[in-house]
Structures are given as structure tokens and as C-alpha cells.
Amino acid sequence: MRYLSTRGGAPELNFEGALLAGLASDGGLYVPETLPKFSNDQLSAMADLSYPELAYRVIEPFVGDTFSDGELATLIDQAYADFRHSAVAPLVQLDQQQWILELFHGPTLAFKDFALQLLGRLLDAVLTRRGQKVVVLGATSGDTGSAAIAGCKACSNIDVFILYPHQRVSEVQRRQMTTQSSANVHNIALEGDFDDCQSLVKASFKDQAFLPDGRSLVAVNSINWARIVAQIVYYFYAGLALGAPHRPASYSVPTGNFGDIFAGYLAKQMGLPISQLMIATNRNNVLHRVLETGRYTRQSLHRTASPSMDITVSSNFERLLLDACGSDPEQVAQLMQDLNQGEARLSNQAIAYVRSHFMSSFVDDAETIATIREIHDGTGYLLDPHSAIGYAAARSGAQQHPGSWVTLATAHPAKFPEAIADAEVNAIPTLPAHMEDLYDLEEHFSVLPAKLSAVQQHIQKVISG
């Protein structure tokens, strides 16, 4: 399996190379040259597999000879051993059409654990084999940071630096990152928004001369292809549980950086019967605007009740653009250059391709809070604000396309007590036992201005010190 940059100006890599590179040297994102395909007979044979067994079947074709079969199976088993539900990703039925895929039973109560518990182990295995130490540098709008820390804190070959927007994540999200006492974990509260964090991370990957000791950067954001691969699995898991390959399902995904729903698109390309893919957005509805207008534009960022989706540039959308542009990397490179200048206009062919594979819905804070209240009052089920957006979008989608709809519940409601309180429901979400002392632990973080020099100097000083 070979991996190519979306912009066509970087060398081809194998899975190990793509894992370590993260961002391509030309600024693009790595995608596989081809996708594995599963027949209906193969899908039927997967129906009774456990989550780790299914993960092995889906992931193995992507890794080539980077890991032996036994090594990959062991790493996958270890990644999901500590999830708090025996099903790993259980499905909950709310009514005749609507299902909730609970993706918050991992160590940090968010869907990011599915990829990052595995990614940390893949990285550590490769780095141990190579006798190499690296710096993991990531940006988070809330959940990626804590999941990356949980996945990498025990890795002896990795120093972890996480940038998050100062005072723009929930208290639980912040404390999950800043209360970690591992010596290799370093949190940076950036005086800006998530887009500033993401921009500084991308700029650092382009020029890594500031790193001492010959180290290199590794990405744990969803720009890393291994993140996407791990997320493909739970679409197959839910689809098979609902009757695939004989019965298709639709999926509604709370969407910020586009990585999670892009994994669903890949699952469909790989043979999973999917009827609809719904992009569910909050007020920062960049992708909803793309589908409506064909224009990919930067706009001011709004703070919302769903902070993990407070994003104005969806990095992984570039991967879809390569398919939408007929696999022409020059078109993608031009579109991304146009976006950096303020606006990228998709061709008629490209926007038609996007619309043929995705629906979209925009849910504001008022509807989000009302949905939390309505669903709890009607069923007793408690949604976090991001999952509430996904559910509201799924319900609107079902009016046009009846059938089974699966909302990806991307976080545990206890991570967002403020939104739950606003909904005025008769429920107080509590943290699980392994996090019950979260508010008592000492926090460790540095507040820095949103300047590339400040961040790089800080990293250099910490590593050298």
C-alpha cells in the first residue's frame, strides 16, 4: 500500500512513512493510492466479530509490511482493552429509525480514543524498532488533546506538546489535559482560537529546524492517516449490527475537521452499504456553506455550546477534494492556495461530486439545547451538545430519506456540564470512577501568545532543558 500527497509534490510513502510524516512535505495530506474493497460475502463473514477482530480485518490491508499480522493484532487488542463497555462501541436505539453509536467509552470519554489509543501504540512500536525519539505536536479544539495524551503518555520515545485555545474549551476537557503529570506531556494554552493552534502546528511541520537533538515532529491530529484508518472501523461495526450488507444505514456525524465523517465516506467506498452521510454542523458551518454555495471560505469563528466543532477550516476536506477533482492534485493545490487567500471556488464537477456523497445540516445553540432537553424528557437518554447536533441533523435527514439513521455520539455528556445545565433536564452527568478526582488534581500548562516564534522557542527550551 503506497500513500500519495493530495497536492502531488511530496514523495510516495509506505504506511510507516505516512504514520511518521503526518503532514506531507508539500503541505498536503496523505491518502492511499488505492482502497481495499470488501464483497458482500466478506461483509457477511464479519458480522459476528468482536470490535478488535473487526478492526484487524479493516485496518490490516492499509499497513502493508509495516507490522506483522501478529504484531498488529496485539496492538489493536491492547488499544481497546481498557474501554469501559464490552461492545467498545455500543448501539442504543431511541426510536424506530434513530440509533446512537456511543463512541465515548474510552479513557477520555470521546471518540478520539478510538484512533489515538491505537496511534500511540503504533508509533511506539515503530520508534522502538528504529531507536528514534520524536516530538508529537498537536492542536485541539477540546478532545484530541486529552486523547493524544492518554495514548502517548506511557510512550518512552515521545514528547507530547498539545496546543489548545486558552479559555475556549470546557473545564473537563482542559483538566483532562492539564492534570496529567507524566514528564513527557506538555500543554500550551494559546491566546487565540483553534484555527490559530492548527495554523501554528502546520507551520511548524513545514520548517522543523527549531527542534534540537535531530528530532522530528509527528502529527496526532486527523491529518495523520492512521487516525482516519482507525475511525473507519466503527462505521463497519454499526453497519453490520444493523444488517449490512443486506440493509443500508445512514450516518449523521457532528463535524468540525471532517476527519470523522471522511472515514464514513471511505467505509462506503470500501463496500459498506451507506445510504446517506450527514454533515452536522454548529454555527461555524463552513462545510454546510460549501454544499450550499460551492464556495469554501474563511469566516469569523463563533464560540458555541459545542466547542469541539468551533472550527472555520476543515483540514480533512482536502482529502475529499482530491476525489472531487478527479484525482488531480494540481487542482487541489490551487484550491488550497485560494483558500489561504480567503476563498476557494469549487468547479461544477467538484461540488456535484461532494453533493452526491453528502448531505448537511446547520444546528444553532438554541436548537442544540432544546434537543438535549427533548430527548431526555422523551426517552431518558442524555446527549452531549455535539451528539445533540448530530441527532437533530439525523432527524431532519430521516424526513427526506427514511430508514435506519445512526448518530455518532462523539463525547460523554459529563464533559459538558454547562450545556446540560442550560438544558434544564433532571439529570446531572457524572464522570466515571477513573476520573472522579479530576477536579482535585493539580494542573500543568503554559499560556503563550499565538505566535510561531513563542511556541517554537518554548518547545525548544522544554526539550533542551
Side-chain angles (χ1 to χ4, degrees):
M1 179 71 75
R2 305 295 296 175
Y3 291 88
L4 317 174
S5 169
T6 51
R7 303 187 191 182
E12 295 183 11
L13 299 176
N14 64 4
F15 182 81
E16 180 173 324
L19 174 70
L20 293 175
L23 191 70
S25 58
D26 60 357
L29 306 183
Y30 278 106
V31 293
E33 189 173 24
T34 59
L35 282 174
K37 306 281 187 179
F38 295 112
S39 67
N40 284 352
D41 287 344
Q42 289 174 313
L43 289 174
S44 295
M46 297 177 187
D48 295 324
L49 297 179
S50 69
Y51 193 92
E53 291 170 338
L54 179 64
Y56 175 83
R57 294 280 187 93
V58 173
I59 294 170
E60 188 274 334
F62 289 98
V63 305
D65 58 0
T66 297
F67 300 100
S68 68
D69 291 349
E71 186 178 16
L72 178 62
T74 297
L75 293 171
I76 290 173
D77 287 342
Q78 292 172 349
Y80 301 114
D82 293 333
F83 278 58
R84 300 183 328 278
H85 197 291
S86 59
V88 181
L91 270 170
V92 176
Q93 187 172 11
L94 292 190
D95 64 29
Q96 185 177 1
Q97 293 189 82
Q98 300 295 337
W99 299 77
I100 303 293
L101 180 63
E102 293 186 341
L103 301 178
F104 50 71
H105 293 285
T108 71
L109 315 185
F111 80 99
K112 306 293 179 72
D113 288 323
F114 280 83
L116 286 163
Q117 282 296 305
L118 180 59
L119 178 60
R121 288 168 170 81
L122 297 177
L123 281 173
D124 209 35
V126 167
L127 294 171
T128 298
R129 184 192 310 156
R130 296 164 66 116
Q132 182 180 350
K133 291 184 179 294
V134 300
V135 173
V136 161
L137 180 60
T140 185
S141 56
D143 290 326
T144 293
S146 57
I149 290 168
C152 298
K153 65 182 181 181
C155 299
S156 57
N157 302 299
I158 298 173
D159 277 297
V160 184
F161 290 85
I162 299 296
L163 279 66
Y164 66 92
H166 188 38
Q167 298 179 338
R168 294 195 177 195
V169 299
S170 78
E171 185 175 6
V172 173
Q173 288 176 314
R174 187 192 76 240
R175 286 181 173 274
Q176 282 185 295
M177 294 184 285
T178 61
T179 57
Q180 290 291 342
S181 58
S182 301
N184 67 331
V185 172
H186 315 283
N187 290 286
I188 298 173
L190 203 71
E191 294 176 323
D193 56 35
F194 171 76
D195 290 332
D196 294 319
C197 298
Q198 188 163 252
S199 294
L200 294 184
V201 168
K202 287 185 175 181
S204 296
F205 270 85
K206 289 180 181 178
D207 183 2
Q208 303 184 25
F210 69 96
L211 290 173
D213 303 328
R215 296 204 189 190
S216 60
L217 293 178
V218 170
V220 293
N221 284 67
S222 53
I223 60 176
N224 192 310
W225 175 252
R227 280 276 306 272
I228 305 296
V229 169
Q231 292 171 322
I232 297 171
V233 179
Y234 45 70
Y235 286 91
F236 279 91
Y237 193 67
L240 290 167
L242 292 176
H246 309 294
R247 180 184 175 194
S250 298
Y251 296 81
S252 179
V253 187
T255 306
N257 226 9
F258 199 72
D260 204 9
I261 196 166
F262 183 69
Y265 163 80
L266 293 174
K268 183 178 181 180
Q269 303 302 107
M270 292 166 65
L272 182 68
I274 292 179
S275 177
Q276 303 294 325
L277 285 168
M278 171 71 80
I279 299 169
T281 71
N282 65 11
R283 188 180 177 190
N284 298 295
N285 56 352
V286 54
L287 294 173
H288 181 62
R289 296 196 310 269
V290 171
L291 264 73
E292 284 196 326
T293 68
R295 297 181 179 183
Y296 190 10
T297 59
R298 292 177 177 268
Q299 293 191 1
S300 298
L301 188 74
H302 301 284
R303 297 182 68 170
T304 73
S306 47
S308 297
M309 297 161 64
D310 288 349
I311 294 172
T312 64
V313 176
S314 298
S315 290
N316 281 286
F317 192 59
E318 180 172 342
R319 286 184 161 118
L320 180 67
L321 286 177
L322 185 62
D323 286 354
C325 293
S327 301
D328 183 352
E330 291 185 3
Q331 286 189 48
V332 176
Q334 183 61 56
L335 283 170
M336 301 316 296
Q337 182 178 332
D338 293 344
L339 178 62
N340 287 335
Q341 295 173 353
E343 178 179 280
R345 297 191 179 191
L346 277 63
S347 68
N348 291 337
Q349 174 189 349
I351 191 58
Y353 185 90
V354 174
R355 289 169 177 160
S356 71
H357 288 282
F358 295 91
M359 303 172 65
S360 67
S361 182
F362 155 47
V363 181
D364 62 18
D365 274 1
E367 185 178 356
T368 300
I369 299 303
T371 300
I372 294 173
R373 182 186 310 116
E374 177 189 347
I375 298 308
H376 185 266
D377 289 349
T379 69
Y381 193 86
L382 191 58
L383 295 164
D384 92 287
H386 306 79
S387 306
I389 289 173
Y391 182 85
R395 191 162 49 185
S396 68
Q399 294 175 0
Q400 304 174 56
H401 302 278
S404 295
W405 276 81
V406 179
T407 295
L408 273 58
T410 53
H412 193 289
K415 300 189 77 166
F416 304 95
E418 299 88 353
I420 304 302
D422 289 342
E424 299 179 340
V425 297
N426 186 25
I428 301 175
T430 58
L431 294 169
H434 76 281
M435 289 174 57
E436 61 186 4
D437 62 346
L438 184 67
Y439 289 93
D440 301 323
L441 299 175
E442 182 182 358
E443 294 189 73
H444 309 275
F445 62 95
S446 300
V447 180
L448 296 179
K451 295 182 179 180
L452 184 63
S453 59
V455 171
Q456 292 185 345
Q457 288 170 12
H458 176 78
I459 294 173
Q460 186 181 60
K461 180 180 178 181
V462 170
I463 296 175
S464 298

